[in-house]
Amino acid sequence: MSEIKICCPKCKWEPDGGEYWQCDCGHIWNTFTTIARCPACHKQHQYTACVPHAGGCEVHSPHLDWYDGLDKIIEDLKEEILENQEVFI
């Protein structure tokens, strides 16, 4: 199965694990440890900003677009499900 790489969809900057993202409530954390849900107030963020002071470009992109390879994994899983359904039909 394919692997997922986390990177900015625009500039391909890869987060280094730092706590760069700040929620509206003021909490600062690594958004990729919680799939963009603030651990303090539980707000689910739809967009994630790239971080220019850490080497990124400052563009805001849909959070799920940061997971490079996710589309391939989903396609592989769909194929596997369809193949398994054919066995039981």
Side-chain angles (χ1 to χ4, degrees), residues 8-10 21 46-50 57-63 66:
C8 173
K10 177 69 175 175
W21 294 272
Q46 300 301 314
Y47 287 83
T48 295
C50 197
C57 68
E58 81 183 13
V59 169
H60 289 71
S61 300
H63 185 78
W66 281 74

Side-chain angles (χ1 to χ4, degrees), residues 2-74:
S2 300
E3 291 192 28
I4 295 175
K5 176 177 143 183
I6 299 173
C7 62
C8 173
K10 177 69 175 175
C11 73
K12 301 302 179 197
W13 172 75
E14 296 179 39
D16 59 11
E19 296 182 342
Y20 301 119
W21 294 272
Q22 184 171 4
C23 183
D24 299 336
C25 75
H27 185 74
I28 298 172
W29 86 111
N30 176 353
T31 191
F32 298 102
T33 61
T34 61
I35 313 172
R37 181 179 300 275
C38 175
C41 73
H42 307 290
K43 176 180 179 177
Q44 181 67 55
H45 295 267
Q46 300 301 314
Y47 287 83
T48 295
C50 197
V51 184
H53 66 272
C57 68
E58 81 183 13
V59 169
H60 289 71
S61 300
H63 185 78
L64 290 178
D65 288 356
W66 281 74
Y67 297 91
D68 189 35
L70 185 59
D71 291 340
K72 176 68 174 136
I73 289 173
I74 291 170

